[in-house]
Amino acid sequence: MALPVLSSAQTAAELQTYFQQSIQLTPDEIASIGGGKAVGKVLKSRTPAEIFVFGAVRINAPPEAYIRLANDFDRLRRLPEFLAIGKFSDPPKVMDLAGFNRAARAEGVRTLRQAGLEKVAQGLTTIEEVLSVLPPPDESSALPDP
């Protein structure tokens, strides 16, 4: 899924239109981004084996300074806010996520399967809906639930 690149030259109205039309964010979610809160959304995918995740947060920094920080992996690894950081293989492989998964789970981050089952238990969704977004067992076996 190719999305247009957003730049600091876009107006607030253009960004709001993009967020509403392309990502289907609500006005409340857009206001949260403007207020400095992170917003994430799972987007529709072509098949149940794929997942597309959109995330946005307003960063009050010049683009050049942010890009410098985002590319300084050694500095980022030392920040307490970062769970994991790394590079994907070319082409990407499922095992590229192994280190991230270990670090994230140590911090209490749940798998998609765990989070989905919690939503089923809370009556917020159905098991069929959860299973429709999970990868087939053979694709997820490299990243087992704890």
Side-chain angles (χ1 to χ4, degrees), residues 1 6 10 13 18 26 28-29 36 47 53 79 85 92 121 125 128 136:
M1 173 187 240
L6 303 178
Q10 290 175 309
Y18 171 80
T26 66
D28 287 342
E29 290 169 324
T47 69
V53 179
L79 294 174
I85 190 169
T125 190
E128 292 80 15

Side-chain angles (χ1 to χ4, degrees), residues 93-108:
K93 299 177 181 120
V94 171
M95 289 310 298
D96 293 339
L97 298 175
F100 172 77
N101 284 326
R102 282 191 295 277
R105 288 179 182 159
E107 293 292 325

Side-chain angles (χ1 to χ4, degrees), residues 3-111:
L3 296 176
V5 175
L6 303 178
S7 73
S8 59
Q10 290 175 309
T11 66
E14 290 171 324
L15 286 174
Q16 183 166 352
T17 298
Y18 171 80
F19 287 149
Q20 287 177 327
Q21 293 179 356
S22 298
I23 310 298
Q24 282 83 49
L25 292 183
T26 66
D28 287 342
E29 290 169 324
I30 295 169
S32 291
I33 294 169
K37 295 182 180 173
V39 171
K41 186 168 191 133
V42 177
L43 305 176
K44 292 185 181 202
S45 63
R46 295 173 291 210
T47 69
E50 296 177 334
I51 184 169
F52 297 110
V53 179
F54 168 84
V57 65
R58 182 173 184 265
I59 298 172
N60 190 18
E64 300 79 20
Y66 175 75
I67 296 298
R68 262 194 319 276
L69 174 63
N71 286 305
D72 188 349
F73 280 21
D74 291 331
R75 182 175 173 196
L76 290 173
R77 282 188 183 101
R78 292 190 301 269
L79 294 174
E81 297 85 5
F82 267 75
L83 298 177
I85 190 169
K87 293 184 179 182
F88 284 96
S89 304
D90 186 13
K93 299 177 181 120
V94 171
M95 289 310 298
D96 293 339
L97 298 175
F100 172 77
N101 284 326
R102 282 191 295 277
R105 288 179 182 159
E107 293 292 325
V109 175
R110 300 175 322 260
T111 64

Side-chain angles (χ1 to χ4, degrees), residues 48 112-135 145:
L112 181 60
R113 178 175 280 108
Q114 291 167 326
L117 293 175
E118 288 174 15
K119 299 293 183 194
V120 170
Q122 295 168 358
L124 299 174
T125 190
T126 65
I127 191 69
E128 292 80 15
E129 179 74 19
V130 172
L131 293 175
S132 75
V133 298
L134 291 176
D145 286 336

